[in-house]
Amino acid sequence: MVADFKVIKIRFLPELIEQNVRVEMIGNFDALPPHTKEAIVKAIDATSSNDGLVLNFAMNYGSRLEMVEAVKEIARLAVDNQIAIEEIDESLIESRLMTSHLPEPDLLIRTSGEVRLSNFMLWQLAYSEFSFTEVLWPDFDESCMLSAIEEFQMRNRRFGSVEGDKGV
């Protein structure tokens, strides 16, 4: 992933700025090597005022760790009497996740023939649609993306409700 970020830093950052893309990152930033941190900070700073698409890099990220850290933070609030146990709900947990400021994904595209989540955004993907492809990530191009989006657009999203249920 280090090499990928150098490519973005050198080659793609001007295009991301031009296309109004904001770069963000989830994961354990502190554990990354210094040169990777520098490239991430540069990309995030350079695109911070962009309000179009968000390109969110998951680096040194694991969903289980994310949830454990969120629960620890909530437990500290409860121990310090800042919240009551009865106040702990989905909304509070979501507010402590690394992605709390982002909408939940509508679509997860899994490349390389993999058909598992691999500890990736376990909470956030609860109502996402999945698209699986045998295409390897380096070969996943614009036509593959368009195919996945077209397939997604044909789906009837129910967000957990059963057919005929009026609730969402």
Side-chain angles (χ1 to χ4, degrees):
M1 191 54 104
V2 172
D4 289 345
F5 229 89
K6 283 185 178 180
V7 167
I8 288 169
K9 177 180 167 185
I10 295 166
R11 229 174 63 203
F12 295 110
L13 190 53
E15 185 179 351
L16 291 171
I17 294 168
E18 179 184 321
Q19 296 295 321
N20 195 30
V21 174
R22 186 174 74 244
V23 174
E24 295 192 9
M25 186 209 129
I26 59 173
N28 185 352
F29 180 83
D30 294 334
L32 297 173
H35 60 280
T36 303
K37 288 181 188 178
E38 181 183 325
I40 292 168
V41 168
K42 180 177 180 171
I44 289 171
D45 287 348
T47 63
S48 65
S49 62
N50 292 354
D51 59 4
L53 285 174
V54 174
L55 176 58
N56 192 6
F57 287 94
M59 300 184 71
N60 199 24
Y61 168 85
S63 188
R64 288 180 175 185
L65 177 63
E66 174 186 31
M67 286 190 267
V68 166
E69 292 303 317
V71 169
K72 284 180 186 177
E73 187 177 336
I74 292 167
R76 281 191 283 277
L77 293 172
V79 167
D80 293 341
N81 292 317
Q82 295 180 34
I83 61 166
I85 298 297
E86 295 75 27
E87 294 178 74
I88 300 173
D89 60 8
E90 287 186 24
S91 177
L92 182 62
I93 294 169
E94 285 176 6
S95 75
R96 298 308 193 261
L97 296 176
M98 294 174 186
T99 56
S100 62
H101 61 291
L102 297 170
E104 292 181 347
D106 292 312
L107 175 65
L108 170 75
I109 301 170
R110 188 66 203 250
T111 60
S112 309
E114 299 293 344
V115 289
R116 62 186 176 356
L117 290 177
S118 302
N119 195 25
F120 184 73
M121 298 181 83
L122 299 174
W123 182 281
Q124 298 89 336
L125 292 170
Y127 295 110
S128 300
E129 296 289 324
F130 293 3
S131 175
F132 301 100
T133 178
E134 296 291 324
V135 177
L136 300 175
W137 172 245
D139 301 322
F140 192 85
D141 59 12
E142 186 176 345
S143 77
C144 296
M145 176 66 89
L146 290 173
S147 253
I149 291 170
E150 287 171 0
E151 175 189 333
F152 170 74
Q153 289 175 330
M154 300 300 291
R155 296 185 183 176
N156 176 21
R157 298 193 69 202
R158 296 187 307 265
F159 299 94
S161 67
V162 292
E163 198 66 42
D165 184 3
K166 301 295 182 209
V168 175

